Each structure stands twice: as structure tokens, then as C-alpha cells.
Amino acid sequence: METSKNTILITGGGSGIGYEFAKIFSENDNQVIVTGRNEEKLNKAAASLKNTTAIAADITKEEDIDRLVQIIAKEYPNLNVLINNAGNASYYDVLELNTDAFAKASDEINTNYLSIVRLTEKLLPILNAQKEAAIVNVSSIVALVPSKTLITYSASKAALHSYTQSLRIALDRSPYATQVYEIMPPLVNTEFSKEIGGENGISPEVVAQDLLQAFQENQYEIHVGQTSYIYELSLSSPKDALLTMNSQS
């Protein structure tokens, strides 16, 4: 996959990992579109970057996705990269009373899985019309080794991981040139992860750099930082991987 001359849509692109994706790709001669719920934050992010446009949209709402897709089709018909980065996470003890796990799970499944399926489906005709295209799903190591304190978040990322693999197989067997990537960061130091000790995590710039390198190398599943160790441990000893993951959470 080329790392320049692309037209790239990044969900959740106004801050955190999404902003770093926008920054590194905009600096590599790509046209970048960032989207998210907070229009003020998006506009501020876009103004600080070159080759970057902001379009406010809540990807959990069907009407917002329809409007976003209409804008893309009309104004950016050469879109060839979709980075599904927007996410939602709840950190709680499932055994405590009144955690409202169902509501938390509903929000996480909608944001981290269902909205991605919907947006991807609606943008696939545009992506598949290009000579080279890519879909990037930002997943997590908890998709493979779940966390007891991110219990429903882990389940939503497991659903995304399964969907990503199936979509990759379907596209590999199709006449289209769209490639499917999945990036699995560990704990990252962003506002998003502040509640779970994000200040102890890696820099979001590292995640962005690893994605850029994966494009260069056609590496379709990217295990960033400590994620690589947990992944390898999950292959050799799933029990030890679970114990290691949950001794850290």
C-alpha cells in the first residue's frame, strides 16, 4: 500500500490516536479528512495540520453516516483509505452493583463494532472503485485476550477482530484491490485512556508510525509495543496470556 497520494478518512480524528494518524499521513502528502462528534475539536485539529479537512459526524447515528457518505461521494470520490478509529470504552468491575453493564455494552458494541460495519458497508463501493485502497480497523489486544475490567469493551473488540478477518478474506477472494488492516495498540497515553492509567501507556505517535510502516510492508495485522508479547503468549499459552493481561488491569 502506498503511503502518499491517498485520500484518507479517519473517524475520531480530532484527538488521540486518530489525530496522530491524521498528522503522520498529512505530512506524507496525503489528503486527510477527519470526522467526529465534536466540531470545535475537529476544526482545531484540522487547522493545525496541512492537507486536512474536518467534517463533523457522529458515526453511531445512521443519519450522520448517510450525510458523511454523501459528502465523500460528491467531494472526495477518490477516497481510497478508511481508518475506523473512533471508539468507546467503559472501565468497571462487573461484580459491583449498579454498574449498568448492559447500557455500557450497548454503547461499546454500537460504537466499536456496529457503526464500523455500517460505515464500511456504505463506503465500500467508493473504496472498491479505486486502483488501490485500504480499510484500517483500530482494534485492541483485548480482542484476543480479554480484560476483566474492560469486559464488554473486550467483547466489542473481539467482534471487530472477527469481522475484520472475514472482510479481509472476502476482499482477498474478490476482484477488488481493497486491503484490510487491523492495528492492535496496547495502553496508549491519550485522554481516551486516562481513566485506566493512560499516562503509563505508549505515545500515540508510536501507533501512527507503526501503521505507516505496516502500509509500506503490507503487514495486515499490527501488534504495537507490548501487544506483540501478549499476542505471542496467547499462542503458546492462552492461560498465561489471560493471567498476564489481568494482572495488569
Side-chain angles (χ1 to χ4, degrees), residues 40-60:
E40 182 179 355
K41 183 188 290 186
L42 279 174
N43 288 335
K44 185 178 179 180
S48 71
L49 302 172
K50 56 185 179 181
N51 307 322
T52 302
T53 302
I55 303 174
D58 183 346
I59 63 160
T60 66

Side-chain angles (χ1 to χ4, degrees), residues 103-146:
K104 290 179 172 66
S106 297
D107 288 343
E108 289 165 332
I109 285 290
N110 190 22
T111 305
N112 303 337
Y113 175 58
L114 294 176
S115 67
I116 291 173
V117 173
R118 182 157 56 196
L119 180 59
T120 301
E121 179 182 32
K122 289 179 180 289
L123 287 176
L124 261 178
I126 297 174
L127 295 168
N128 285 341
Q130 313 304 329
K131 291 182 178 180
E132 183 177 54
I135 297 164
V136 180
N137 291 334
V138 180
S139 181
S140 169
I141 189 58
V142 298
L144 305 178
V145 185

Side-chain angles (χ1 to χ4, degrees), residues 5-230:
K5 307 297 183 184
N6 299 298
T7 302
I8 303 172
L9 174 65
I10 303 172
T11 67
S15 61
I17 296 172
Y19 177 81
E20 294 303 328
F21 286 150
K23 182 179 179 182
I24 200 168
F25 280 107
S26 67
E27 290 174 349
N28 278 270
D29 195 25
N30 295 283
Q31 173 65 53
V32 175
I33 307 121
V34 292
T35 189
R37 285 183 260 198
N38 190 320
E39 187 170 11
E40 182 179 355
K41 183 188 290 186
L42 279 174
N43 288 335
K44 185 178 179 180
S48 71
L49 302 172
K50 56 185 179 181
N51 307 322
T52 302
T53 302
I55 303 174
D58 183 346
I59 63 160
T60 66
K61 296 180 178 178
E62 185 173 9
E63 60 271 24
D64 278 26
I65 285 185
D66 287 342
R67 179 175 55 82
L68 175 63
V69 171
Q70 288 173 4
I71 293 171
I72 294 296
K74 182 179 179 180
E75 300 182 15
Y76 304 96
N78 294 325
L79 181 84
N80 69 323
V81 178
L82 168 62
I83 301 181
N84 288 308
N85 166 73
N88 184 19
S90 296
Y91 180 78
Y92 63 95
D93 183 347
V94 72
L95 299 181
E96 288 184 0
L97 296 176
N98 303 316
T99 58
D100 205 1
F102 179 81
K104 290 179 172 66
S106 297
D107 288 343
E108 289 165 332
I109 285 290
N110 190 22
T111 305
N112 303 337
Y113 175 58
L114 294 176
S115 67
I116 291 173
V117 173
R118 182 157 56 196
L119 180 59
T120 301
E121 179 182 32
K122 289 179 180 289
L123 287 176
L124 261 178
I126 297 174
L127 295 168
N128 285 341
Q130 313 304 329
K131 291 182 178 180
E132 183 177 54
I135 297 164
V136 180
N137 291 334
V138 180
S139 181
S140 169
I141 189 58
V142 298
L144 305 178
V145 185
S147 162
K148 70 181 188 297
T149 47
L150 290 166
I151 183 167
T152 47
Y153 175 78
S154 299
S156 70
K157 290 298 187 178
L160 179 61
H161 174 63
S162 177
Y163 168 74
T164 302
Q165 290 187 310
S166 296
L167 181 62
R168 183 183 298 127
I169 291 169
L171 283 165
D172 281 348
R173 295 176 179 177
S174 79
Y176 305 115
T178 305
Q179 302 168 342
V180 181
Y181 294 79
E182 181 177 9
I183 186 162
M184 294 183 173
L187 184 65
V188 181
N189 186 8
T190 65
E191 187 66 27
F192 177 81
S193 63
K194 191 173 181 179
E195 185 182 358
I196 56 173
E199 67 275 6
N200 299 313
I202 66 170
S203 167
E205 291 95 329
V206 174
V207 185
Q209 289 165 358
D210 278 10
L211 179 58
L212 190 71
Q213 183 177 344
F215 268 30
Q216 294 169 334
E217 299 175 355
N218 287 334
Q219 178 187 351
Y220 299 119
E221 189 169 303
I222 310 121
H223 307 126
V224 182
Q226 183 73 359
T227 293
S228 181
Y229 168 71
I230 298 294

